Amino acid sequence: MSLVTRYLLKNVFTVTLFVTVSLTMVIWLTQSLKLLELIASSDAPAGMFVKLVAFTLPRFLEIILPLSLVTGVLFVYHKMILDNELIVLRACGFDQHALARPVLLMALGMTLLLLLLTTWLSPKGYAEMQLMRQSVKSEYSAFLLREGVFNTFGRDLTVYVRQRTQNGDLSGLLIHDTRDKNKPPVTITARRGQLVMDGEMPQIVVYDGMRQQLERAGKNLSRLYFSRYTIEIKGLGGTRPTRFKEASERTLVELLNPDLSQAAERSNADLFRVEAHHRVVAPFNALSFAVVALCCLLLGPFNRRGQTRKIILAAIVVVLLQTISLSLLSAAKKQLGFIPLFYIFTFAPLLAGLYLLTLRGEQALDRLLKRLRRTDAKKTEAAA
């Protein structure tokens, strides 16, 4: 690898990394507010929030990485044009392909990383996040005890709270617990109590109360007076219901091999097929977008006063390609005939851009531009 290639690769990588981290922090902050509200309202441990946020990261990177690479390419090469570095390199014999090689290598590596994200890591993380959110709602949110009513959780536990103070203390508690089927039901009354967490296990700690239990014979009522008593909340509501895994929660292998013996899987088979094609094609947008940015900046004459028009053109083309990609995904879910367009609108700009970055492609583009200029000049003379 030549010194120039390493220099360009280092600069583009540094800017891309900076933009990726910045965008990730911004999007993470905005999206994590919903998760923070869920954790705070359900009184779940802080570790849950960290895990939920971490599971969302791969999905963010699918969108952020290609855009960060384009930003890095536009920034670095535009700066080099302003500093006359690219002009010097061209004068030293570096052709367009040599100048584009560092970005192509980086874009290829990013494409492989995105393939790993889209086909396995991102759906795995999203599925884990959905399961954890369901766990928080079913095992923690249930403990937002309302005042003055009998809070029934499943069929085995009933909690009554007369009043809940501002600091979270509970007063006037009555708890009826029938979860242990091998023992008689237990009824607990207490003057006050607290909802606390022991690691990730919620507990109700009650003070100054009485525990009553009717023996199986039904004749003797046992009473136990206590100053402090702890009730573990475990397995509330029974087993969580089995969730149907949406297409966004399935890895590529799962999308290609649905269980057709189940009606829900059969009815979503076409949707799984569309998602599988999109998962394979979408990572190549990083390579396609990078080639578009290179073509816009490297082809044509350099302007020392800036390349604003070329940068705007690159941004418009990238946004247009991204919009088309999302639109085709939506359309293909309704009509499978749009699937081949995934590949056309992804690889056509890529192949065209790679051709234009060669000497023959650059010469063909110059001939086309000269022909258009002559045509415009003839039209101007005719109009005059």
Side-chain angles (χ1 to χ4, degrees):
M1 186 180 295
S2 67
L3 181 63
V4 173
T5 301
R6 290 198 300 270
Y7 172 74
L8 290 171
L9 187 60
K10 176 185 176 182
N11 288 344
V12 174
F13 176 80
T14 302
V15 177
T16 301
L17 180 61
F18 175 78
V19 175
T20 299
V21 173
S22 300
L23 291 178
T24 301
M25 292 296 103
V26 172
I27 297 177
W28 227 351
L29 179 62
T30 57
Q31 295 297 317
S32 62
L33 292 178
K34 298 178 182 178
L35 301 177
L36 182 61
E37 181 181 1
L38 173 65
I39 297 298
S41 62
S42 60
D43 206 19
M48 282 283 191
F49 172 71
V50 176
K51 292 178 181 179
L52 285 172
V53 172
F55 285 138
T56 62
L57 179 59
R59 179 138 299 189
F60 294 157
L61 291 178
E62 290 182 26
I63 302 173
I64 292 173
L65 285 176
L67 300 180
S68 299
L69 178 59
V70 171
T71 304
V73 172
L74 294 177
F75 178 84
V76 171
Y77 280 78
H78 179 251
K79 184 176 182 300
M80 293 182 69
I81 291 174
L82 294 180
D83 295 340
N84 295 328
E85 291 179 287
L86 284 187
I87 297 175
V88 172
L89 290 175
R90 290 296 300 269
C92 293
F94 286 86
D95 58 8
Q96 307 288 29
H97 187 266
L99 295 176
R101 186 181 299 116
V103 174
L104 296 179
L105 291 174
M106 185 172 173
L108 182 60
M110 185 175 291
T111 299
L112 296 177
L113 174 60
L114 287 169
L115 277 171
L116 176 64
L117 289 175
T118 58
T119 58
W120 182 72
L121 193 57
S122 180
K124 277 288 186 181
Y126 188 71
E128 288 296 327
M129 186 194 72
Q130 293 295 87
L131 288 174
M132 192 170 292
R133 289 184 64 174
Q134 184 184 23
S135 174
V136 169
K137 291 180 179 179
S138 62
E139 297 182 14
Y140 296 99
S141 297
F143 299 103
L144 296 178
L145 303 174
R146 293 176 293 168
E147 301 175 340
V149 298
F150 288 93
N151 299 273
T152 303
F153 307 117
R155 298 181 179 181
D156 302 324
L157 185 64
T158 302
V159 180
Y160 175 86
V161 178
R162 187 180 72 243
Q163 185 179 9
R164 189 165 190 163
T165 62
Q166 292 183 352
N167 61 3
D169 288 345
L170 313 173
S171 62
L173 288 98
L174 186 148
I175 302 172
H176 186 67
D177 188 358
T178 62
R179 289 176 295 174
D180 191 344
K181 303 303 180 182
N182 297 322
K183 297 181 180 180
V186 174
T187 302
I188 298 172
T189 56
R191 290 185 179 181
R192 63 187 183 90
Q194 291 179 329
L195 186 63
V196 299
M197 300 297 300
D198 181 14
E200 295 188 359
M201 177 64 66
Q203 296 178 341
I204 298 180
V205 181
V206 291
Y207 304 91
D208 302 327
M210 177 177 62
R211 180 181 184 274
Q212 301 180 75
Q213 188 173 32
L214 186 65
E215 300 299 335
R216 290 192 178 277
K219 297 180 179 180
N220 298 323
L221 180 65
S222 63
R223 294 184 178 89
L224 173 65
Y225 294 91
F226 56 84
S227 58
R228 186 180 186 276
Y229 190 84
T230 301
I231 305 168
E232 289 189 356
I233 309 301
K234 187 177 181 180
L236 187 61
T239 305
R240 285 177 292 175
T242 303
R243 292 180 62 257
F244 174 75
K245 293 180 69 174
E246 301 291 341
S248 57
E249 303 174 51
R250 296 171 182 255
T251 64
L252 182 62
V253 175
E254 293 172 333
L255 289 172
L256 296 175
N257 299 279
D259 186 2
L260 299 180
S261 62
Q262 300 183 18
E265 301 271 330
R266 290 195 302 271
S267 62
N268 287 276
D270 289 344
L271 182 61
F272 295 160
R273 181 181 174 187
V274 171
E275 186 72 19
H277 281 281
H278 187 260
R279 296 271 186 89
V280 173
V281 175
F284 289 91
N285 281 333
L287 196 54
S288 180
F289 293 171
V291 169
V292 168
L294 288 170
C295 288
C296 290
L297 282 182
L298 295 181
L299 298 177
F302 294 151
N303 189 343
R304 297 181 182 180
R305 291 176 295 179
Q307 306 291 319
T308 305
R309 291 184 178 180
K310 291 185 175 183
I311 292 175
I312 293 176
L313 176 61
I316 291 175
V317 174
V318 168
V319 171
L320 182 61
L321 290 176
Q322 183 67 47
T323 303
I324 291 175
S325 176
L326 297 177
S327 300
L328 288 176
L329 175 60
S330 178
K333 291 179 180 179
K334 301 176 183 178
Q335 178 55 253
L336 295 180
F338 286 96
I339 290 179
L341 296 181
F342 288 174
Y343 298 88
I344 293 175
F345 280 94
T346 298
F347 291 104
L350 173 60
L351 296 177
L354 291 176
Y355 172 72
L356 291 176
L357 289 174
T358 62
L359 179 59
R360 182 177 297 179
E362 186 178 8
Q363 292 173 345
L365 180 62
D366 287 339
R367 289 194 297 268
L368 176 62
L369 292 177
K370 290 178 180 178
R371 191 179 301 124
L372 292 176
R373 292 193 193 101
R374 286 196 298 267
T375 303
D376 290 340
K378 291 179 180 179
K379 289 182 179 179
T380 303
E381 292 176 359

